[in-house]
C-alpha cells in the first residue's frame, strides 16, 4: 500500500491534549490514476476498553460520565460507557486493569482480548483493543469515580446485560465501543 501513497505536505495544525494535522497526499487509485487529496488527521494515541461481566448475577459493569464533544453534538446527558483509557506508554491489558480500578473500583482477574477496531478511521488514528473479563461482587475493591486531576466525575453502574441492551435500544447508551462489547457479550453467552 505504501507505494500507492505519496505525501506532499504534512502540517501541524494544533498540539494540545492530542495532535491535529493537515496532510495533502497523492493516492494511486485502482484504475491507475493518481488523485490528490487533503485530509485532517486527529491523533490522540491508542486505547483499550473492557467490559467486566458477572456470569452468576448476569450483570455488566459500566460507567457514566460527561463528554464535552458529545454535548456539543447535542447529546446533553452524561454518557454510559464501558471502562476505557488511553495506553499512555502501557500495554492494552495494563491500561484496562488500571482504568477498571480507577473508574469502576473493580480489580480485574483474567481478561480476554476479543478484537481491535478503529472507531472513526476517516479522520482519527486511534485503534482500540477490546477486552472482556469476568468479575464478582468481591472484585469491587473501591468506589471508582475516576481521577479528579483528569477531570473525571464518574458514576458506576451495574445493570444486567439485558437491561444494558435495552438501554442501547432506547437510546440511553449511544457509545459505539460499549454497544460493540454488549453485543459481543450477548452473542457469546457471557452471562446466563
Amino acid at each position: 500500500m505504501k507505494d500507492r501513497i505519496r505525501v506532499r505536505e504534512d502540517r501541524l495544525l494544533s498540539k494540545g491534549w492530542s495532535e491535529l494535522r493537515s496532510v495533502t497526499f497523492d493516492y494511486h487509485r485502482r484504475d491507475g490514476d493518481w488523485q490528490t487529496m487533503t485530509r485532517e488527521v486527529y491523533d490522540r494515541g491508542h486505547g483499550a476498553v473492557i467490559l467486566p461481566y458477572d456470569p452468576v448475577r448476569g450483570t455488566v459493569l459500566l460507567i457514566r460520565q460527561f463528554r464535552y464533544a458529545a454535548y456539543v453534538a447535542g447529546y446533553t446527558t452524561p454518557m454510559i460507557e464501558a471502562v476505557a483509557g488511553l495506553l499512555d506508554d502501557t500495554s492494552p491489558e495494563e491500561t484496562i486493569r488500571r482504568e477498571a480500578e480507577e473508574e469502576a473500583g473493580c480489580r480485574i482477574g483474567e481478561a480476554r482480548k476479543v478484537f481491535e477496531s478503529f472507531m472513526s478511521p476517516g479522520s482519527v488514528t486511534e485503534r482500540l483493543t477490546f477486552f472482556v473479563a469476568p468479575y464478582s461482587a468481591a472484585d469491587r475493591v473501591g468506589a471508582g469515580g475516576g481521577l479528579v486531576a483528569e477531570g473525571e466525575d464518574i458514576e458506576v453502574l451495574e445493570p444486567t446485560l439485558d437491561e444494558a441492551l435495552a438501554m442501547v435500544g432506547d437510546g440511553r447508551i449511544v457509545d459505539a465501543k460499549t454497544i460493540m462489547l454488549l453485543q459481543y457479550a450477548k452473542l457469546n453467552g457471557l452471562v446466563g
Side-chain angles (χ1 to χ4, degrees):
M1 186 66 177
K2 287 185 179 185
D3 59 336
R4 294 178 67 183
I5 307 290
R6 294 188 304 222
V7 175
R8 289 178 174 234
E9 181 182 27
D10 184 342
R11 288 185 307 125
L12 179 65
L13 301 177
S14 174
K15 185 170 177 76
W17 184 53
S18 58
E19 209 172 79
L20 180 62
R21 306 186 81 79
S22 176
V23 180
T24 300
F25 60 95
D26 295 326
Y27 174 72
H28 192 218
R29 300 173 54 82
R30 289 179 294 126
D31 64 10
D33 289 341
W34 285 90
Q35 182 177 16
T36 301
M37 295 183 256
T38 300
R39 297 290 186 266
E40 288 182 354
V41 180
Y42 184 66
D43 184 357
R44 53 177 257 130
H46 300 301
V49 57
I50 186 164
L51 180 68
Y53 64 93
D54 186 327
V56 175
R57 294 181 299 145
T59 57
V60 293
L61 202 53
L62 300 173
I63 60 171
R64 183 184 346 244
Q65 64 182 323
F66 174 72
R67 296 296 198 177
Y68 184 74
Y71 173 80
V72 170
Y75 194 79
T76 59
T77 61
M79 295 192 77
I80 299 172
E81 304 176 48
V83 170
L86 293 176
L87 298 188
D88 296 331
D89 297 322
T90 61
S91 72
E93 187 165 338
E94 289 171 306
T95 298
I96 53 101
R97 290 183 183 288
R98 177 190 72 234
E99 296 294 332
E101 199 158 335
E102 286 175 9
E103 294 184 356
C106 184
R107 188 161 294 135
I108 299 299
E110 186 177 332
R112 183 165 45 98
K113 177 182 169 183
V114 293
F115 50 82
E116 292 182 352
S117 179
F118 287 93
M119 300 305 292
S120 189
S123 60
V124 180
T125 62
E126 180 184 41
R127 180 180 54 239
L128 288 178
T129 304
F130 289 71
F131 291 88
V132 294
Y135 82 101
S136 70
D139 297 318
R140 298 290 308 278
V141 295
L147 299 177
V148 173
E150 293 181 4
E152 295 175 328
D153 180 23
I154 295 171
E155 177 186 357
V156 180
L157 307 174
E158 203 168 15
T160 66
L161 176 59
D162 288 339
E163 289 168 341
L165 288 167
M167 289 185 237
V168 172
D170 67 21
R172 286 180 285 163
I173 295 179
V174 297
D175 176 65
K177 66 187 179 300
T178 305
I179 294 169
M180 292 166 69
L181 279 170
L182 292 172
Q183 290 174 340
Y184 178 89
K186 185 68 171 182
L187 289 171
N188 289 278
L190 297 184
V191 299

